[in-house]
Amino acid sequence: MSEQNTPHTDIGTLGEFGLIDRIASHFTPTQNETTKGIGDDAAVMDYGGQPIVVTTDLLLEGIHFDLMYHPLKHLGYKAIIVNLSDVCAMNAVPKHVTVSLGISNRFSVEAIDELYEGVRIACEAYGVDLVGGDTTSSPSGLMISVTAIGSAPKEKITYRHGAKSGDILCVTGDLGAAYLGLQILEREKQVFLANPDMQPELSEKKYLVGRQLKPEARLEAINHFEKSGLVPTSMIDLSDGLASDLMHLCKASGTGAFVEEAQVPIHDEARLQAMEFKLDPITCALSGGEDYELLFTVDPSDLDKVRFMNSVYIIGEMTSEADGINLHTTGGQIHPITAQGWKHFE
Ligand code: ADP
Ligand code: MG
Protein backbone atom coordinates (compact mmCIF):
# COMPACT_ATOMS: atom_id res chain seq x y z
CA MET A 1 0.00 0.00 0.00
CA SER A 2 2.60 2.55 1.08
CA GLU A 3 4.99 4.13 -1.38
CA GLN A 4 8.55 2.86 -1.02
CA ASN A 5 10.09 6.30 -1.46
CA THR A 6 7.73 8.38 0.69
CA PRO A 7 9.96 10.24 3.13
CA HIS A 8 9.33 9.50 6.78
CA THR A 9 10.67 11.94 9.33
CA ASP A 10 10.09 11.10 12.96
CA ILE A 11 7.94 13.76 14.63
CA GLY A 12 10.35 13.50 17.56
CA THR A 13 13.04 15.19 15.48
CA LEU A 14 10.93 18.39 15.39
CA GLY A 15 9.40 18.19 18.87
CA GLU A 16 6.06 19.72 19.74
CA PHE A 17 7.10 23.33 19.20
CA GLY A 18 8.98 22.62 15.97
CA LEU A 19 5.93 20.82 14.62
CA ILE A 20 3.63 23.74 15.49
CA ASP A 21 6.06 26.17 13.79
CA ARG A 22 6.09 23.94 10.72
CA ILE A 23 2.28 23.85 10.56
CA ALA A 24 2.08 27.62 11.12
CA SER A 25 4.57 28.29 8.31
CA HIS A 26 2.05 26.88 5.80
CA PHE A 27 -0.76 29.23 6.79
CA THR A 28 -0.87 33.00 6.42
CA PRO A 29 -3.99 34.69 7.79
CA THR A 30 -6.02 36.38 5.06
CA GLN A 31 -9.04 37.67 6.98
CA ASN A 32 -9.11 41.25 8.27
CA GLU A 33 -10.71 39.94 11.47
CA THR A 34 -7.68 37.79 12.34
CA THR A 35 -5.65 39.87 14.78
CA LYS A 36 -3.51 36.97 16.05
CA GLY A 37 -3.36 33.49 14.54
CA ILE A 38 -1.20 30.57 15.64
CA GLY A 39 1.47 31.30 18.22
CA ASP A 40 -0.05 32.64 21.42
CA ASP A 41 -2.11 31.19 24.27
CA ALA A 42 -5.23 32.01 22.28
CA ALA A 43 -6.11 33.39 18.85
CA VAL A 44 -7.54 36.92 18.73
CA MET A 45 -10.34 37.85 16.33
CA ASP A 46 -11.89 41.29 15.93
CA TYR A 47 -15.34 41.41 14.34
CA GLY A 48 -15.88 45.02 15.38
CA GLY A 49 -16.89 45.82 18.95
CA GLN A 50 -14.87 43.91 21.53
CA PRO A 51 -12.32 41.38 20.21
CA ILE A 52 -12.72 37.72 21.14
CA VAL A 53 -10.03 35.20 22.04
CA VAL A 54 -10.31 31.48 21.23
CA THR A 55 -8.23 28.60 22.51
CA THR A 56 -8.48 24.82 22.44
CA ASP A 57 -6.81 21.97 24.34
CA LEU A 58 -7.05 18.24 23.94
CA LEU A 59 -6.70 15.82 26.87
CA LEU A 60 -6.01 12.15 26.12
CA GLU A 61 -6.24 9.24 28.51
CA GLY A 62 -2.80 7.72 29.02
CA ILE A 63 -1.04 10.95 27.97
CA HIS A 64 -2.60 13.74 30.01
CA PHE A 65 -4.44 11.76 32.64
CA ASP A 66 -4.62 8.34 34.23
CA LEU A 67 -8.06 7.28 35.43
CA MET A 68 -6.44 5.21 38.18
CA TYR A 69 -5.87 8.45 40.04
CA HIS A 70 -7.80 11.17 38.21
CA PRO A 71 -11.40 11.06 39.44
CA LEU A 72 -13.73 11.86 36.53
CA LYS A 73 -15.26 14.84 38.29
CA HIS A 74 -11.82 16.39 38.77
CA LEU A 75 -10.96 15.62 35.18
CA GLY A 76 -14.04 17.45 33.90
CA TYR A 77 -13.09 20.38 36.08
CA LYS A 78 -9.46 20.38 34.95
CA ALA A 79 -10.36 20.12 31.25
CA ILE A 80 -12.27 23.40 31.57
CA ILE A 81 -9.66 25.11 33.75
CA VAL A 82 -6.69 24.49 31.45
CA ASN A 83 -8.60 26.28 28.69
CA LEU A 84 -9.80 29.15 30.87
CA SER A 85 -6.18 29.58 31.92
CA ASP A 86 -5.20 30.23 28.28
CA VAL A 87 -7.98 32.83 27.98
CA CYS A 88 -6.73 34.53 31.17
CA ALA A 89 -3.20 34.48 29.73
CA MET A 90 -4.49 36.93 27.08
CA ASN A 91 -5.77 39.21 29.88
CA ALA A 92 -9.26 38.32 28.67
CA VAL A 93 -12.33 37.14 30.54
CA PRO A 94 -13.60 33.66 29.63
CA LYS A 95 -17.27 33.51 28.64
CA HIS A 96 -18.05 30.31 26.73
CA VAL A 97 -16.81 26.75 26.32
CA THR A 98 -17.58 23.79 24.09
CA VAL A 99 -16.74 20.26 25.22
CA SER A 100 -16.15 17.36 22.83
CA LEU A 101 -15.81 13.76 23.94
CA GLY A 102 -14.49 10.53 22.50
CA ILE A 103 -15.76 7.71 24.73
CA SER A 104 -15.35 3.96 24.57
CA ASN A 105 -18.07 1.54 25.72
CA ARG A 106 -16.00 0.95 28.85
CA PHE A 107 -17.62 4.12 30.27
CA SER A 108 -21.06 4.10 31.86
CA VAL A 109 -23.67 6.83 31.72
CA GLU A 110 -22.93 7.48 35.40
CA ALA A 111 -19.23 7.96 34.60
CA ILE A 112 -20.09 10.60 32.00
CA ASP A 113 -22.43 12.24 34.53
CA GLU A 114 -19.47 12.47 36.92
CA LEU A 115 -17.26 14.03 34.26
CA TYR A 116 -19.93 16.61 33.44
CA GLU A 117 -20.50 17.37 37.09
CA GLY A 118 -16.88 18.58 37.15
CA VAL A 119 -17.47 20.56 33.94
CA ARG A 120 -20.58 22.13 35.50
CA ILE A 121 -18.80 23.08 38.73
CA ALA A 122 -15.97 24.75 36.78
CA CYS A 123 -18.43 26.62 34.53
CA GLU A 124 -20.34 27.83 37.57
CA ALA A 125 -17.22 28.84 39.50
CA TYR A 126 -15.86 30.89 36.58
CA GLY A 127 -19.15 32.21 35.23
CA VAL A 128 -18.77 30.45 31.89
CA ASP A 129 -21.53 28.96 29.69
CA LEU A 130 -21.23 25.55 28.06
CA VAL A 131 -22.62 26.22 24.59
CA GLY A 132 -21.94 23.03 22.62
CA GLY A 133 -19.55 20.27 21.74
CA ASP A 134 -19.47 16.92 20.02
CA THR A 135 -19.80 13.32 21.15
CA THR A 136 -18.30 10.33 19.41
CA SER A 137 -17.26 6.78 20.22
CA SER A 138 -13.60 5.96 20.61
CA PRO A 139 -11.97 2.54 20.09
CA SER A 140 -10.47 2.71 23.56
CA GLY A 141 -9.87 5.34 26.17
CA LEU A 142 -11.28 8.76 26.82
CA MET A 143 -10.59 11.95 24.89
CA ILE A 144 -11.75 15.40 25.98
CA SER A 145 -11.35 18.42 23.77
CA VAL A 146 -12.41 21.82 25.09
CA THR A 147 -12.57 25.13 23.28
CA ALA A 148 -12.86 28.31 25.33
CA ILE A 149 -13.90 31.74 24.12
CA GLY A 150 -13.44 34.99 25.96
CA SER A 151 -13.19 38.68 25.28
CA ALA A 152 -11.38 41.83 26.32
CA PRO A 153 -11.06 45.41 25.09
CA LYS A 154 -8.43 45.64 22.36
CA GLU A 155 -6.05 47.74 24.45
CA LYS A 156 -6.12 45.21 27.32
CA ILE A 157 -5.30 42.08 25.34
CA THR A 158 -1.85 40.87 26.35
CA TYR A 159 0.32 38.77 24.06
CA ARG A 160 3.43 36.69 24.54
CA HIS A 161 5.25 39.41 22.62
CA GLY A 162 5.49 42.92 24.08
CA ALA A 163 8.07 42.48 26.85
CA LYS A 164 11.05 44.85 26.74
CA SER A 165 14.46 44.71 28.33
CA GLY A 166 14.10 46.13 31.85
CA ASP A 167 10.49 44.93 32.34
CA ILE A 168 9.79 43.18 35.62
CA LEU A 169 9.01 39.46 35.50
CA CYS A 170 6.18 38.29 37.77
CA VAL A 171 4.27 35.12 38.56
CA THR A 172 0.88 34.69 40.26
CA GLY A 173 1.62 31.72 42.54
CA ASP A 174 3.96 29.00 43.70
CA LEU A 175 5.60 26.64 41.21
CA GLY A 176 6.52 22.97 41.00
CA ALA A 177 3.72 21.67 43.22
CA ALA A 178 1.57 20.17 40.44
CA TYR A 179 4.56 18.20 39.12
CA LEU A 180 5.36 16.87 42.58
CA GLY A 181 1.68 16.00 43.09
CA LEU A 182 1.88 13.92 39.91
CA GLN A 183 5.02 12.14 41.13
CA ILE A 184 3.22 11.24 44.38
CA LEU A 185 0.21 9.88 42.49
CA GLU A 186 2.50 7.85 40.22
CA ARG A 187 4.35 6.44 43.21
CA GLU A 188 1.12 5.46 44.96
CA LYS A 189 -0.13 3.85 41.77
CA GLN A 190 2.97 1.66 41.58
CA VAL A 191 2.56 0.70 45.25
CA PHE A 192 -1.10 -0.16 44.63
CA LEU A 193 -0.31 -2.20 41.50
CA ALA A 194 2.31 -4.16 43.42
CA ASN A 195 -0.04 -4.74 46.34
CA PRO A 196 -3.73 -3.90 45.78
CA ASP A 197 -4.44 -4.21 49.52
CA MET A 198 -2.31 -1.15 50.19
CA GLN A 199 -4.40 2.01 50.32
CA PRO A 200 -2.68 5.23 49.26
CA GLU A 201 -1.65 7.56 52.06
CA LEU A 202 -2.42 10.93 50.55
CA SER A 203 -3.98 12.89 53.39
CA GLU A 204 -0.69 14.62 54.21
CA LYS A 205 -0.08 15.41 50.57
CA LYS A 206 -3.35 17.24 49.98
CA TYR A 207 -1.80 20.47 48.76
CA LEU A 208 0.47 18.89 46.16
CA VAL A 209 -2.06 16.33 44.93
CA GLY A 210 -4.71 19.06 44.80
CA ARG A 211 -2.47 21.25 42.63
CA GLN A 212 -2.22 18.36 40.14
CA LEU A 213 -5.82 17.15 40.21
CA LYS A 214 -7.71 20.40 40.69
CA PRO A 215 -5.84 23.37 39.21
CA GLU A 216 -7.39 26.82 39.01
CA ALA A 217 -7.23 29.52 36.34
CA ARG A 218 -6.00 32.86 37.65
CA LEU A 219 -9.06 34.89 36.73
CA GLU A 220 -8.73 36.86 39.97
CA ALA A 221 -5.36 38.19 38.74
CA ILE A 222 -7.04 39.46 35.57
CA ASN A 223 -9.66 41.18 37.74
CA HIS A 224 -6.89 42.70 39.91
CA PHE A 225 -5.13 44.05 36.82
CA GLU A 226 -8.40 45.61 35.70
CA LYS A 227 -9.02 47.24 39.11
CA SER A 228 -5.53 48.67 39.38
CA GLY A 229 -5.42 49.84 35.76
CA LEU A 230 -2.49 47.57 34.96
CA VAL A 231 -1.91 46.07 31.53
CA PRO A 232 1.04 43.65 31.54
CA THR A 233 3.47 44.08 28.66
CA SER A 234 3.42 40.31 27.95
CA MET A 235 1.86 37.20 29.47
CA ILE A 236 1.68 33.40 29.18
CA ASP A 237 0.19 30.72 31.42
CA LEU A 238 2.51 28.14 32.96
CA SER A 239 1.39 24.83 31.49
CA ASP A 240 4.76 23.41 30.39
CA GLY A 241 6.95 24.83 33.17
CA LEU A 242 8.64 28.14 33.97
CA ALA A 243 11.73 27.42 31.86
CA SER A 244 9.82 26.47 28.74
CA ASP A 245 7.14 29.13 29.03
CA LEU A 246 9.63 31.91 29.84
CA MET A 247 11.47 30.86 26.71
CA HIS A 248 8.23 31.43 24.73
CA LEU A 249 7.84 34.94 26.20
CA CYS A 250 11.46 35.78 25.39
CA LYS A 251 11.32 34.33 21.89
CA ALA A 252 8.06 36.16 21.06
CA SER A 253 9.32 39.43 22.59
CA GLY A 254 12.89 39.25 21.28
CA THR A 255 14.37 39.55 24.76
CA GLY A 256 16.42 37.60 27.26
CA ALA A 257 15.57 37.33 30.95
CA PHE A 258 16.94 36.45 34.32
CA VAL A 259 15.18 34.68 37.16
CA GLU A 260 16.34 35.12 40.76
CA GLU A 261 16.28 31.65 42.31
CA ALA A 262 15.67 33.11 45.77
CA GLN A 263 12.53 34.91 44.57
CA VAL A 264 10.83 31.92 42.90
CA PRO A 265 7.85 30.97 45.08
CA ILE A 266 7.96 27.31 46.09
CA HIS A 267 5.45 25.98 48.63
CA ASP A 268 6.98 24.48 51.81
CA GLU A 269 5.32 21.13 51.08
CA ALA A 270 6.78 21.17 47.56
CA ARG A 271 10.24 21.89 48.94
CA LEU A 272 10.00 18.99 51.41
CA GLN A 273 8.56 16.63 48.84
CA ALA A 274 11.24 17.50 46.30
CA MET A 275 13.91 16.64 48.85
CA GLU A 276 12.15 13.37 49.67
CA PHE A 277 12.30 12.49 45.96
CA LYS A 278 15.94 13.67 45.89
CA LEU A 279 15.04 16.41 43.44
CA ASP A 280 16.19 20.02 43.52
CA PRO A 281 13.13 22.20 44.36
CA ILE A 282 14.19 24.88 41.84
CA THR A 283 14.42 22.23 39.11
CA CYS A 284 10.83 21.20 39.89
CA ALA A 285 9.77 24.87 39.72
CA LEU A 286 11.60 25.42 36.41
CA SER A 287 10.72 22.19 34.63
CA GLY A 288 7.55 20.90 36.30
CA GLY A 289 4.43 21.67 34.32
CA GLU A 290 0.74 22.25 34.98
CA ASP A 291 0.87 24.90 37.68
CA TYR A 292 -1.40 27.13 35.55
CA GLU A 293 -0.06 30.29 37.17
CA LEU A 294 0.33 33.36 34.98
CA LEU A 295 3.83 34.49 34.06
CA PHE A 296 3.79 38.15 33.00
CA THR A 297 5.94 41.22 32.61
CA VAL A 298 5.24 44.81 33.60
CA ASP A 299 6.86 48.09 32.73
CA PRO A 300 9.09 49.30 35.61
CA SER A 301 6.80 52.36 35.98
CA ASP A 302 4.06 49.91 37.07
CA LEU A 303 6.19 48.35 39.81
CA ASP A 304 4.05 49.79 42.62
CA LYS A 305 0.93 48.28 41.07
CA VAL A 306 2.31 44.75 41.34
CA ARG A 307 4.44 45.10 44.44
CA PHE A 308 1.47 45.03 46.79
CA MET A 309 -0.80 42.85 44.70
CA ASN A 310 -2.03 39.77 46.49
CA SER A 311 -0.30 36.59 45.29
CA VAL A 312 2.03 38.26 42.84
CA TYR A 313 5.72 37.45 43.12
CA ILE A 314 8.46 39.39 41.36
CA ILE A 315 10.93 36.76 40.21
CA GLY A 316 13.23 38.47 37.73
CA GLU A 317 13.67 40.89 34.89
CA MET A 318 13.70 40.91 31.12
CA THR A 319 17.06 41.64 29.51
CA SER A 320 18.38 42.05 26.01
CA GLU A 321 18.17 38.99 23.76
CA ALA A 322 21.96 38.73 23.61
CA ASP A 323 22.11 38.14 27.37
CA GLY A 324 20.13 34.90 27.01
CA ILE A 325 17.86 33.39 29.64
CA ASN A 326 19.59 32.84 32.96
CA LEU A 327 19.03 31.71 36.50
CA HIS A 328 20.77 33.73 39.21
CA THR A 329 21.27 31.07 41.84
CA THR A 330 21.12 31.61 45.59
CA GLY A 331 24.81 30.68 45.56
CA GLY A 332 25.59 33.70 43.37
CA GLN A 333 26.14 31.82 40.13
CA ILE A 334 24.59 32.42 36.73
CA HIS A 335 23.22 29.35 34.93
CA PRO A 336 21.68 29.44 31.46
CA ILE A 337 18.09 28.17 31.55
CA THR A 338 17.41 25.67 28.79
CA ALA A 339 14.01 24.27 27.99
CA GLN A 340 12.45 21.94 25.52
CA GLY A 341 8.99 21.85 27.08
CA TRP A 342 7.51 18.42 27.50
CA LYS A 343 8.70 16.12 24.76
CA HIS A 344 5.36 14.49 23.93
CA PHE A 345 6.73 12.65 20.95
CA GLU A 346 9.62 10.76 22.48
P1 ADP B 1 -0.69 26.36 25.11
O1 ADP B 1 0.35 25.56 25.83
O2 ADP B 1 -0.83 27.76 25.58
O3 ADP B 1 -2.04 25.63 25.02
P2 ADP B 1 0.34 25.37 22.66
O4 ADP B 1 1.81 25.21 22.88
O5 ADP B 1 -0.56 24.18 22.76
O6 ADP B 1 -0.18 26.52 23.63
O7 ADP B 1 0.08 26.04 21.27
C1 ADP B 1 0.80 27.19 20.84
C2 ADP B 1 0.12 27.75 19.61
O8 ADP B 1 0.10 26.79 18.57
C3 ADP B 1 -1.33 28.15 19.82
O9 ADP B 1 -1.57 29.31 19.05
C4 ADP B 1 -2.09 26.97 19.24
O10 ADP B 1 -3.39 27.34 18.82
C5 ADP B 1 -1.22 26.56 18.09
N1 ADP B 1 -1.36 25.14 17.73
C6 ADP B 1 -1.03 24.05 18.48
N2 ADP B 1 -1.24 22.92 17.80
C7 ADP B 1 -1.72 23.27 16.58
C8 ADP B 1 -2.15 22.55 15.41
N3 ADP B 1 -2.12 21.21 15.39
N4 ADP B 1 -2.56 23.27 14.35
C9 ADP B 1 -2.60 24.61 14.38
N5 ADP B 1 -2.21 25.36 15.44
C10 ADP B 1 -1.78 24.70 16.53
MG1 MG C 1 -0.93 28.55 27.42
Side-chain angles (χ1 to χ4, degrees):
M1 286 274 283
S2 65
E3 289 250 351
Q4 278 286 303
N5 294 328
T6 307
H8 177 99
T9 312
D10 264 355
I11 291 178
T13 58
L14 288 182
E16 179 189 354
F17 305 137
L19 182 62
I20 293 173
D21 285 348
R22 185 182 170 96
I23 294 170
S25 72
H26 296 136
F27 293 87
T28 310
T30 58
Q31 302 299 321
N32 288 334
E33 291 83 359
T34 312
T35 306
K36 177 73 193 176
I38 296 172
D40 215 298
D41 292 284
V44 181
M45 274 87 76
D46 191 345
Y47 290 88
Q50 192 151 289
I52 60 164
V53 307
V54 179
T55 180
T56 194
D57 258 305
L58 174 64
L59 300 183
L60 284 184
E61 185 179 355
I63 303 280
H64 300 99
F65 60 89
D66 185 330
L67 289 174
M68 270 196 77
Y69 51 70
H70 274 103
L72 282 164
K73 200 196 280 186
H74 287 68
L75 192 60
Y77 190 89
K78 183 170 177 175
I80 299 299
I81 295 304
V82 302
N83 281 275
L84 302 188
S85 177
D86 276 325
V87 170
C88 291
M90 305 304 291
N91 202 22
V93 176
K95 300 279 184 188
H96 301 99
V97 288
T98 64
V99 176
S100 299
L101 289 186
I103 2 172
S104 75
N105 56 13
R106 164 162 84 83
F107 293 91
S108 64
V109 172
E110 290 76 14
I112 303 306
D113 282 348
E114 272 291 293
L115 182 76
Y116 270 86
E117 180 59 5
V119 168
R120 193 190 61 74
I121 294 170
C123 287
E124 207 174 281
Y126 287 84
V128 165
D129 288 342
L130 171 69
V131 292
D134 196 18
T135 311
T136 176
S137 58
S138 117
S140 69
L142 179 62
M143 189 210 86
I144 311 168
S145 170
V146 175
T147 296
I149 301 156
S151 77
K154 194 175 180 171
E155 63 284 3
K156 299 256 165 81
I157 293 181
T158 306
Y159 297 90
R160 292 179 181 181
H161 62 80
K164 308 169 305 307
S165 177
D167 283 359
I168 298 154
L169 182 65
C170 309
V171 70
T172 52
D174 64 273
L175 305 180
Y179 169 77
L180 286 158
L182 182 63
Q183 300 313 305
I184 292 167
L185 290 165
E186 275 293 330
R187 182 181 68 184
E188 294 305 321
K189 176 184 167 185
Q190 297 312 324
V191 171
F192 177 79
L193 288 175
N195 181 357
D197 292 333
M198 290 278 282
Q199 285 304 309
E201 198 24 86
L202 296 175
S203 53
E204 284 174 18
K205 313 283 184 188
K206 254 192 191 146
Y207 181 72
L208 302 178
V209 169
R211 290 283 276 168
Q212 168 60 221
L213 294 183
K214 194 172 175 289
E216 301 293 347
R218 291 293 170 225
L219 182 57
E220 80 273 11
I222 302 308
N223 293 333
H224 267 123
F225 295 162
E226 166 76 23
K227 273 195 211 112
S228 48
L230 174 73
V231 181
T233 50
S234 72
M235 186 149 60
I236 187 169
D237 71 326
L238 290 171
S239 52
D240 292 339
L242 175 60
S244 174
D245 291 321
L246 175 58
M247 190 194 74
H248 286 312
L249 273 195
C250 288
K251 194 173 163 202
S253 297
T255 65
F258 68 79
V259 171
E260 291 286 356
E261 180 181 1
Q263 304 307 322
V264 175
I266 301 176
H267 195 277
D268 284 347
E269 286 180 35
R271 227 174 256 288
L272 284 171
Q273 191 62 48
M275 289 189 290
E276 192 184 317
F277 281 131
K278 301 204 173 2
L279 296 168
D280 192 349
I282 190 69
T283 308
C284 297
L286 283 167
S287 303
E290 300 199 286
D291 289 312
Y292 296 105
E293 297 298 343
L294 296 171
L295 179 71
F296 62 98
T297 56
V298 300
D299 189 275
S301 64
D302 283 328
L303 176 62
D304 279 347
K305 290 182 184 161
V306 283
R307 196 156 38 187
F308 305 110
M309 214 178 260
N310 227 352
S311 296
V312 166
Y313 303 84
I314 296 171
I315 61 166
E317 195 177 305
M318 304 311 270
T319 58
S320 72
E321 194 168 20
D323 291 337
I325 307 174
N326 295 298
L327 181 72
H328 292 184
T329 71
T330 44
Q333 288 175 320
I334 298 179
H335 281 311
I337 295 176
T338 54
Q340 269 81 46
W342 295 119
K343 291 185 193 158
H344 294 300
F345 298 110
E346 278 186 354

